[in-house]
Amino acid sequence: MNVYDGQRIAAMLEKHGFEQTDALSDADIIILNTCAVREKATNKVFSALGRIRRAKKPDALFGIVGCVAREAGATAFQRIPDLNFVLGPQSYHKLPEILKNPDTKLLNIDLTGLEKFDELPQMEKSPAVAYIPIQEGCNHCCTYCIVPYTRGRELSRPFKDILRDTELAANTGAIEICFLGQNVNGYKYTDEATGKTYRLSDLIKETAKLNNIKRIRFTSSYPTEMTDDLIDMFRTEPKLLPFLNMPIQSGSQNVLTRMNRPYTLNLYIDIVDKLKAARPDIQISSDFIVGFPGETDSDFEQTMEIAKKIKYINSYSFKYSPRPHTAAALMKDQIPESIKSERLAKLDSYLNELQRSFNESCIGKTMECLCEGPDKTGKHLVYRTPYMQQCIVNATSKTCEKQLANIRITAANKASLRGEVQD
Ligand code: 5AD
Ligand code: SF4
């Protein structure tokens, strides 16, 4: 979601005559787009703002947007008095107001709903992967999570608006559509005129009809909202990639209950089985939190066991960090940092092993991959496999940026694959 927000902010400022620069000291406006989900990233925001303040041109405007902006609100101006703007995740379309009145302080952290989508200018050229948000906010109230506070309750965008965005993306360069939402598979929109209710499966069906679009995916999914119509898409729609991010967070039933994630492990496993029946080559990725309040050694071992059972690829694990406005922050039995670190190292190392073994299993296979562009050296092209692995290919006349190509995988390690383009 932050990648999408960043792209839209850049496009909006380009319309006002700005262009992007990598040099802080050249910039006329500097925007720090922030995430408040975990404490570590949040803590870095104010030290980064301090650095920006010292390095920027004296008259350059600077500010924060996104979830940390919403969380900090007016206190951000107290901490950094010369900050020019503080805009929450649903009001960054108000940014041009500061261009009109650069001497004011612009603060807007309202949860305005879907207004920003109507007010943002359309992008003239789409990247090869077009991120299309379909809903904002979340109605699940996981006890550790700040998202329901920073992004608000779930709101689904009108079906027609989303299709207009996917068509525009398809006509201006997109090859892959990635539907986005904090609870993407909770998408539900009822057209008042017809009374018809649309779900994510309907969006996938319609998008698959666009000739230029060759790959479709969506993230991030809540396990119990993997309804049968959506699972069925993996059986019937070949453009839907065989890869799904469906965070389990913990393998312990007790911890899941305290996290207020009210599904049983058996139900989660059943959903994975159904997905595999629909698409035998599907791979699943997950997010994990270790060291949730009260997590025992045995709870943690159960997380290791579920990782082993599902054989996740491409997963992320985090140390639990207490967040403001969340119930878990007030729970007793917070876990000492040293134990969290130990558990994280153990889980990470196992997830890396799973990734390496999946990567190695791809050697010798040919996969249709999407080119993301050259690497830093310019000698190679970076492709994405259908499983979101990075695959490095020597740049030759046969390779072509921003295109799909059949790549034969020739080598693999934990982090990436090597491959060559097939004729
Ligand atoms: N502490 C650690 N990790 C968290 N996440 C969300 N909230 C917290 C928290 N308080 C993780 C979850 C989620 C991912 C986006 O961030 O794993 O899926
Ligand atoms: Fe946060 Fe995801 Fe839980 Fe929603 S489902 S509250 S976004 S962790």
Side-chain angles (χ1 to χ4, degrees):
M1 192 66 92
N2 273 10
V3 175
Y4 166 85
D5 287 342
Q7 285 173 353
R8 296 312 301 261
I9 291 169
M12 182 168 66
L13 288 176
E14 276 163 22
K15 287 246 154 64
H16 283 81
F18 289 85
E19 52 186 66
Q20 293 190 46
T21 172
D22 289 336
L24 206 56
S25 55
D26 275 352
D28 296 312
I29 180 162
I30 301 153
I31 302 144
L32 197 63
N33 188 18
T34 60
C35 168
V37 165
R38 286 174 299 276
E39 194 178 26
K40 210 165 145 192
T42 310
N43 288 345
K44 286 187 192 156
V45 168
F46 283 92
S47 50
L49 283 172
R51 273 198 309 279
I52 292 171
R53 191 170 162 261
R54 289 187 293 276
K56 76 182 186 70
K57 286 198 294 202
D59 58 345
L61 297 170
F62 82 125
I64 40 173
V65 302
C67 293
V68 177
R70 164 146 168 87
E71 163 59 15
T75 65
F77 293 118
Q78 282 155 18
R79 290 178 74 170
I80 315 254
D82 47 354
L83 207 61
N84 303 97
F85 53 90
V86 175
L87 295 170
Q90 291 181 9
S91 34
Y92 63 74
H93 57 289
K94 307 263 184 211
L95 196 57
E97 287 179 17
I98 197 73
L99 305 176
K100 282 189 226 141
N101 296 306
D103 295 331
T104 55
K105 301 263 176 222
L106 179 61
L107 171 69
N108 189 325
I109 53 167
D110 302 345
L111 293 178
T112 52
L114 301 171
E115 190 187 292
K116 78 172 172 201
F117 294 108
D118 296 328
E119 298 212 1
L120 286 169
Q122 291 297 340
M123 300 231 277
E124 274 159 25
K125 196 171 174 311
S126 171
V129 179
Y131 293 100
I132 311 269
I134 64 171
Q135 59 88 228
E136 280 254 336
C138 188
N139 286 354
H140 295 288
C141 289
C142 303
T143 52
Y144 53 80
C145 185
I146 198 173
V147 165
Y149 174 79
T150 54
R151 298 248 176 190
R153 305 286 289 170
E154 233 165 277
L155 280 172
S156 290
R157 293 181 63 200
F159 188 65
K160 273 202 217 108
D161 290 7
I162 300 170
L163 291 187
R164 182 200 60 210
D165 286 1
T166 50
E167 270 169 42
L168 184 72
N171 292 335
T172 56
I175 290 174
E176 178 176 307
I177 296 288
C178 179
F179 290 121
L180 290 180
Q182 274 84 36
N183 185 30
V184 74
N185 55 344
Y187 177 81
K188 195 173 180 193
Y189 179 77
T190 304
D191 187 323
E192 275 177 20
T194 61
K196 184 165 164 44
T197 296
Y198 296 96
R199 306 295 315 248
L200 178 54
S201 55
D202 299 303
L203 282 170
I204 294 169
K205 270 185 234 157
E206 284 306 311
T207 304
K209 290 181 189 159
L210 301 171
N211 282 338
N212 294 351
I213 300 302
K214 310 291 183 204
R215 322 209 299 184
I216 303 172
R217 62 190 167 100
F218 55 89
T219 193
S220 187
S221 293
Y222 193 81
T224 50
E225 306 217 51
M226 285 308 298
T227 45
D228 286 345
D229 58 320
L230 188 53
I231 294 176
D232 219 41
M233 283 291 106
F234 286 96
R235 189 189 326 272
T236 56
E237 186 38 70
K239 288 185 180 178
L240 189 58
L241 292 178
F243 176 65
L244 177 70
N245 175 250
M246 187 171 71
I248 191 164
Q249 309 294 0
S250 168
S252 153
Q253 199 63 66
N254 285 337
V255 172
L256 285 175
T257 304
R258 284 203 306 282
M259 285 178 165
N260 192 28
R261 295 187 58 99
Y263 47 82
T264 63
L265 288 171
N266 282 342
L267 179 65
Y268 185 96
I269 293 164
D270 281 352
I271 296 168
V272 173
D273 288 344
K274 278 193 198 173
L275 285 160
K276 286 194 172 145
R279 184 83 193 246
D281 59 346
I282 199 167
Q283 298 293 334
I284 314 287
S285 95
S286 180
D287 296 351
F288 296 93
I289 296 178
V290 300
F292 186 79
E295 185 189 67
T296 61
D297 284 341
S298 142
D299 289 324
F300 173 68
E301 283 314 316
Q302 291 166 47
T303 295
M304 294 292 287
E305 273 164 36
I306 197 82
K308 189 168 174 188
K309 177 162 179 58
I310 307 286
K311 293 204 173 53
Y312 290 105
I313 66 160
N314 229 321
S315 295
Y316 293 94
S317 44
F318 309 103
K319 280 194 258 187
Y320 165 75
S321 58
R323 308 304 297 123
H325 319 284
T326 63
L330 305 174
M331 286 179 185
K332 290 196 192 91
D333 306 323
Q334 298 283 330
I335 303 292
E337 211 45 38
S338 57
I339 295 183
K340 286 188 204 170
S341 299
E342 237 173 70
R343 291 180 185 164
L344 183 70
K346 199 169 163 196
L347 179 59
D348 260 354
S349 132
Y350 186 58
L351 293 173
N352 283 339
E353 219 179 279
L354 289 176
Q355 185 70 38
R356 176 195 297 275
S357 123
F358 177 65
N359 286 356
E360 286 173 357
S361 76
C362 296
I363 298 176
K365 292 192 178 142
T366 296
M367 299 195 252
E368 195 178 46
C369 302
L370 181 62
C371 189
E372 288 188 337
D375 69 356
K376 279 194 198 113
T377 69
K379 290 183 188 154
H380 309 110
L381 290 172
V382 180
Y383 281 82
R384 281 283 154 198
T385 72
Y387 300 102
M388 295 304 116
Q389 299 146 292
Q390 193 182 57
C391 181
I392 313 291
V393 173
N394 285 343
T396 67
S397 55
K398 272 199 290 184
T399 52
C400 173
E401 268 182 52
K402 298 217 164 93
Q403 288 299 322
L404 282 174
N406 284 325
I407 310 274
R408 199 174 70 83
I409 310 304
T410 53
N413 61 29
K414 171 185 80 87
S416 65
L417 307 173
R418 295 290 302 222
E420 44 195 44
V421 176
Q422 299 295 285
D423 287 325

